[in-house]
């Protein structure tokens, strides 16, 4: 066993003494030793209950004959970090989490790992570590939050963000917003729509690194605790069979994940995280692959924020495996992939079904013929940009408007709040990319205020930063190259004409080549916004959003 390096033999007597100091019996050390990586904390609603999930995992490990040893990682709630300096640190935390899991699993040669994340960057950070370490690993999330209820209708966190815009636009009063605020987030779990956390948790099933139900069983249901115990049992079996993450998360598995992502209209942030996870396994997922899959996969699940359904609805309708079963009818799923359940997808899908045809529609009755995300290219984004296509009203799939340029999220948000943005404006928010932000902030506040003011079907928001999975409207993020690298978005001026076509998948700045060359010569790289600490180092070594905002390959040198 791998753990023998720290527990077996004469020279490891001091090591066993230290384990004994923690209460471990010699019999426990003779079993497989499994690291249980929990991001439980008291600062994220999706993580507030992870202590119980971790305990259930440990119970399952012991039931199967293993010895669990728990340790922790950091975690940031994007909702709470939104619209202030804290959001600059969110994406950067992904690499810290990955590195911290690696450090622990190298220092303690565990036989296997159980990963227990639940929100935003924590999920991909842990999955990146599993891929990098390539020891038997399995993931169990804390599960989604239930939707809230407000005046007889389901609501969620995005309802509150958009409520701020409604108050600013005179469409809601502050008393009503206060009532909404009280009921939109009813308890533990990752926010209840198909936002980034739930997108990644669902895709963990499609990748095969988590058991069925991981993405959709609500956080507060007993079934979540049972799944955690089953996960603890499964990791012991994975260790005995020596099945590793790179055996499971193959290129075909990633293609399955992208396919499911397009079918349920997931967060645009998946185009950052899936390539970063694949990178740790030694291969690339170019944006062109996302685009090619999106062109042939129908949108069969209309989840919040684009649609009316929440994760609890998807869970009851058959979950992620119900979606894959429907997609497999048209041979869109590669069923030979293996999973942490110890079986091939082909075997697991035999017991799956879509039971609610409004939540998971038949392919012949899809909400849209093509997938949820689209990759745009053009003179404004030569290396690509991402839009959540199914969240955009078809009335503005072709848009042409005048640029309104802002150098930060705060400046743009203030202008929207004060009613200084009008129908037909193309709002440019730049210097918010991986380097320029630094940290590529999510911008849920300006998008939600715009939607709350009723302008989400009349304006475009374009940024080298990124948008929350809870965003809807013509919001185009990940524009590459970013402004801080001198990309075309850095050269836009107020009044320039921006043309967007979601059918042709183009985004163009209508400025002559000679004028652009003149502007390029006059452009000066701005001073860093953060000059010390982790994010200052991060800005120096992070790469383009088009490649997953990973670190430069030589960053360790």
């Amino acid at each position: 066993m791998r753990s023998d390096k720290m527990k077996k033999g004469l020279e490891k007597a001091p090591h066993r003494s230290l384990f004994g100091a923690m209460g471990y019996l010699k019999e426990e050390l003779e079993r497989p030793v499994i690291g249980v990586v929990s991001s439980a904390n008291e600062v994220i609603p999706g993580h507030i209950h992870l202590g119980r999930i971790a305990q259930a995992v440990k119970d399952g490990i012991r039931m199967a004959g293993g010895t669990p040893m728990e340790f922790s990682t950091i975690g940031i709630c994007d909702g709470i970090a939104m619209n202030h300096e804290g959001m600059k640190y969110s994406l950067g935390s992904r690499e810290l989490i990955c590195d911290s899991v690696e450090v622990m699993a190298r220092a303690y040669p565990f036989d296997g790992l159980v990963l227990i994340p639940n929100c935003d960057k924590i999920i991909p950070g842990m999955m990146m570590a599993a891929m990098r370490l390539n020891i038997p690993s399995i993931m169990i999330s804390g599960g989604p939050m239930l939707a809230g209820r407000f005046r007889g209708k389901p609501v969620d966190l995005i309802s509150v963000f958009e409520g701020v815009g409604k108050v600013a636009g005179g469409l809601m009063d502050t008393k009503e917003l206060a009532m909404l605020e009280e009921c939109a987030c009813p308890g533990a779990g990752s926010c209840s729509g198909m936002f980034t956390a739930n997108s990644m948790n669902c895709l963990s099933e499609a990748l095969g690194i988590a058991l069925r139900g991981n993405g959709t069983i609500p956080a507060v249901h007993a079934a979540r605790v049972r799944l955690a115990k089953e996960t603890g049992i499964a990791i012991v079996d994975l260790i005995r069979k020596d099945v590793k993450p790179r055996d499971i998360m193959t290129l075909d598995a990633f293609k399955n994940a992208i396919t499911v992502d397009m079918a349920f209209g997931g967060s645009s942030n998946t185009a950052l995280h899936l390539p970063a996870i694949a990178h740790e396994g030694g291969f690339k997922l170019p944006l062109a692959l996302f685009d090619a899959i999106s062109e042939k996969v129908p949108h069969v699940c209309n989840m919040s924020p684009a649609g009316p359904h929440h994760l609890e609805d998807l869970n009851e309708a058959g979950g992620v495996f119900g979606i894959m079963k429907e997609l497999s009818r048209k041979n869109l799923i590669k069923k030979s992939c293996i999973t942490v359940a110890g079986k091939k997808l082909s075997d697991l899908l035999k017991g799956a079904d879509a039971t609610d045809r409004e939540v998971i529609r038949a392919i012949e009755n899809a909400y849209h013929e093509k997938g949820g995300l689209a990759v745009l290219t053009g003179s404004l984004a030569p290396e690509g940009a991402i839009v959540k296509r199914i969240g955009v009203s078809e009335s503005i799939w072709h848009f042409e408007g005048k640029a309104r340029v802002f150098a930060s999220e705060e400046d743009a948000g203030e202008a929207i709040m004060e009613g200084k943005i009008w129908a037909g404006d193309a709002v440019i928010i730049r210097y918010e990319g991986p380097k320029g932000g630094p940290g590529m902030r999510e911008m849920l506040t300006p998008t939600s205020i715009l939607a709350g003011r009723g302008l989400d079907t009349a304006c475009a928001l374009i940024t080298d930063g990124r948008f929350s999975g809870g965003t809807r409207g013509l919001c185009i993020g990940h524009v590459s190259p970013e402004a801080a690298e001198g990309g075309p978005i850095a050269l836009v001026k107020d009044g320039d004409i921006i043309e967007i076509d979601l059918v042709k998948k183009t985004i163009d700045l209508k400025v002559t080549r000679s004028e652009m060359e003149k502007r390029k010569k006059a452009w000066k790289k701005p001073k860093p916004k953060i000059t010390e600490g982790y994010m200052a180092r991060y800005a120096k070594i992070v790469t383009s959003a088009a490649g997953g905002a990973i670190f430069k390959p030589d960053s360790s040198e």
Side-chain angles (χ1 to χ4, degrees), residues 9-22:
L10 177 66
E11 69 279 13
K12 297 303 187 295
H15 304 61
R16 292 191 295 273
S17 180
L18 290 169
F19 280 118
M22 292 181 277

Side-chain angles (χ1 to χ4, degrees), residues 150-151 167 171-181:
F150 183 64
R151 295 181 174 171
V167 171
L171 303 175
M172 178 184 284
D173 60 37
T174 55
K175 183 177 179 180
E176 189 176 12
L177 178 60
M179 293 169 61
L180 175 60
E181 175 186 334

Side-chain angles (χ1 to χ4, degrees), residues 37-40 44-54 57 115-119 122-123 126 139-146 187-191 197-198 201 204 213-225 227-228 231:
V37 192
S38 171
S39 52
I44 307 177
H47 294 226
I48 196 72
H49 64 306
L50 290 191
R52 187 182 183 197
I53 301 299
V57 166
L115 311 167
I116 312 177
N118 207 32
C119 292
I122 303 98
I123 301 163
M126 286 195 185
M139 190 181 113
I140 167 71
S141 75
M145 186 185 293
L146 294 174
S190 48
C191 297
N198 289 328
N201 277 333
S204 69
N214 180 65
T216 60
I217 296 173
V220 296
H221 283 195
R224 174 63 54 179
V225 177
L227 186 69
T231 299

